[in-house]
Amino acid sequence: MKKRLLFAIQYLFFLGLGVFLVWWSLHQIPDDKWGEFKRSLETANYWLMLPVFLILSLSHLLRALRWRILMMPMGYRPSLSNTFFAVMIGYLANLAVPRLGEVLKCTILAKYEKVPAEKLVGTIVAERVVDVISLGLVFLLALFSQFEVVGEFAHQLFSQLFENRSGSLSLVKLGIVAAVVIVLTIAIRIWFDQFSHLRIVMVTKKILLGIWEGLNSIRNLQQKRYFLLYSAAIWLLYIVGTWVGLLATDGTSHLGLRAATSGLAFASIGMIVTPGGIGAYAYFLAKVLEKNDIPFEIGFANGTLQWFAQFIIVVLVGSVCLVLLPYYNKKKKHESR
């Protein structure tokens, strides 16, 4: 009961943060600029959302292919259809409850492909590690291509987090972060040592063992070349999709791949901060575009449009996959008989 309550509080907090960012962003638009914000959405080329739909759908398919490669060293080869269904249904679930999709992905393949769920957790973690590294590379690419933009915005964010009112580095804030990390590390160590007989600890260790096996699966991949190719292609498609999205509004249509790379780098943080990136995605993209001499109201209109396009893609494709999943497996079971 307590766990559900804490989870609900956590979800409501981050959802509230997203709603607050929407409210805050809209209030950043001066009264005399509201017309431009509305005009950007009204005159947007919505037909460009069709190639964005295809680009992002292809990236999701590549994620399914990459996930299958991670399972091969453990001796499992699930069908591409079920793997893709699981990926999209997971994204759909994440729109409602953050991180629920990761659990649901494992549950679906465990049910329909007989792959142990605890081992799949390891592959999910391995994917996230690769995605973090990939996002870091996107930041580096953005830094090299738009150093003045990325450097200034990153410094601005760092200043807000770790500087005091006088503008100098706050040792107190850094000390608090370091103390929290140390306390959590010690608490986890004591919990595993002193309460190893408890069922929850044993289950946690089993999951961690599965995670370790999943991480090791990267080292033992049978198709490393394809794994790296898929990983690079996924993020390249994200960059291209962002660039095509920039073409949709008049005020941002002149921007190229460099601005799209910088925008993606910071907008991706927004996807992590709030459920489904609500509020945060458009806000971060608008702030980066502001460094490219795009008025905030124009950038926020484009960011809102791009976020909504991604939201619709997940809802549509995820819903179709949710309907097809039992039908496909019923037919597959019938054919096997």
Side-chain angles (χ1 to χ4, degrees), residues 33-164:
K33 298 295 183 179
W34 264 99
E36 294 183 26
F37 173 75
K38 294 179 180 179
R39 197 177 305 113
S40 295
L41 293 176
E42 291 171 355
T43 61
N45 185 355
Y46 288 94
W47 285 107
L48 284 174
M49 292 303 101
L50 181 59
V52 171
F53 183 95
L54 296 175
I55 289 168
L56 294 184
S57 295
L58 179 57
S59 73
H60 297 325
L61 178 61
L62 292 179
R63 279 193 173 276
L65 287 167
R66 190 181 69 172
W67 193 20
R68 291 178 75 237
I69 293 176
L70 282 172
M71 301 179 211
M72 290 180 182
M74 297 184 289
Y76 303 105
R77 293 175 178 267
S79 67
L80 177 59
S81 297
N82 275 335
T83 309
F84 180 70
F85 291 158
V87 168
M88 294 312 305
I89 294 171
Y91 279 130
L92 184 63
N94 278 338
L95 292 180
V97 182
R99 304 295 169 249
L100 175 62
E102 315 302 341
V103 177
L104 201 55
K105 284 168 60 176
C106 299
T107 305
I108 289 172
L109 283 194
K111 178 180 179 180
Y112 291 107
E113 295 289 345
K114 309 303 179 185
V115 184
E118 65 273 9
K119 292 186 177 181
L120 286 177
V121 172
T123 62
I124 298 296
V125 174
E127 275 199 305
R128 292 296 166 266
V129 170
V130 173
D131 283 336
V132 169
I133 294 173
S134 300
L135 180 57
L137 292 175
V138 171
F139 265 101
L140 286 176
L141 181 60
L143 188 63
F144 282 118
S145 62
Q146 283 197 315
F147 178 79
E148 67 287 351
V149 171
V150 177
E152 183 181 349
F153 188 52
H155 178 265
Q156 182 180 340
L157 289 177
F158 181 84
S159 300
Q160 293 174 351
L161 291 174
F162 295 107
E163 287 186 0
N164 52 34

Side-chain angles (χ1 to χ4, degrees), residues 231-273:
S231 299
I234 288 168
W235 285 88
L236 179 60
L237 288 171
Y238 287 167
I239 294 174
V240 174
T242 304
W243 172 63
V244 175
L246 291 175
L247 297 176
T249 52
D250 291 336
T252 59
S253 58
H254 64 283
L255 297 174
L257 287 172
R258 294 195 307 162
T261 304
S262 301
L264 173 67
F266 286 96
S268 297
I269 298 176
M271 297 298 289
I272 300 170
V273 171

